[in-house]
Amino acid sequence: MKYCIRFTPNLLKCLLAAAMLLAICGWAIPQTASAADHPILYLFWGNGCPHCEDEKEFLKDFPQKYPEVEMRWFEIWNHKEFALLADAMRQHYHFSTLSVPMTFIGAWHMVGFSNAQKSGREIEAQVVNCIQNGCVDALSVLGPLQ
């Protein structure tokens, strides 16, 4: 069973340091998850953002519906470290501004959340695609972080 992981700032610093070390040594190659592995869905959100709350409500049943998907949620308005990670993702995907919610799974991403019927279906389609076909870890595409 997969759980929603809440990263603490210290844990994120350790993870980022390890990723940078691997990237510097040339070992950080984007990994493709096979159908047997688990895709990772990243959600960058802000406390008090109504669209973020709508997306979080939509995603709350995913652990039961798609137990093979790992979800990592980062609240960026009150956590500087998470905001820096979100900004690195924004830059990599060439977004003009840092807005929430930002959702990433594999090479696919979405900024904003309109409703479950539109945005929710897009997210779910990408989740199913990654489960069936595998996908890269969206965070691994950053390479060395500065």
Side-chain angles (χ1 to χ4, degrees):
M1 182 193 296
K2 299 291 182 209
Y3 296 93
C4 199
I5 298 174
R6 180 163 177 101
F7 286 87
T8 64
N10 287 338
L11 178 59
L12 182 62
K13 286 178 186 175
C14 289
L15 289 173
L16 291 175
M20 289 185 341
L21 178 62
L22 290 173
I24 290 168
C25 294
W27 299 323
I29 299 169
Q31 299 295 313
T32 299
S34 70
D37 290 334
H38 65 279
I40 302 171
L41 182 144
Y42 294 91
L43 172 64
F44 294 92
W45 63 284
N47 189 23
C49 162
H51 303 291
C52 300
E53 293 304 318
D54 290 344
E55 183 169 348
K56 287 168 42 184
E57 180 66 24
F58 172 76
L59 293 173
K60 76 176 184 180
D61 295 330
F62 270 45
Q64 294 79 29
K65 196 171 184 180
Y66 303 107
E68 57 272 74
V69 175
E70 181 179 342
M71 293 197 298
R72 298 181 184 174
W73 296 6
F74 299 93
E75 197 287 324
I76 68 169
W77 289 352
N78 298 306
H79 298 93
K80 182 180 178 181
E81 296 85 3
F82 300 158
L84 292 172
L85 178 60
D87 194 51
M89 294 292 281
R90 176 197 66 80
Q91 290 177 32
H92 177 79
Y93 287 97
H94 308 289
F95 302 159
S96 59
T97 61
L98 182 58
S99 301
V100 291
M102 288 192 321
T103 308
F104 299 88
I105 185 163
W108 179 87
H109 60 276
M110 179 175 70
V111 178
F113 187 85
S114 58
N115 57 51
Q117 292 75 28
K118 183 179 180 334
S119 300
R121 284 189 182 172
E122 291 179 44
I123 293 169
E124 196 158 10
Q126 293 303 318
V127 165
V128 169
N129 181 54
C130 280
I131 291 169
Q132 293 175 347
N133 303 309
C135 60
V136 299
D137 178 350
L139 189 60
S140 71
V141 300
L142 291 181
L145 300 176
Q146 297 178 14

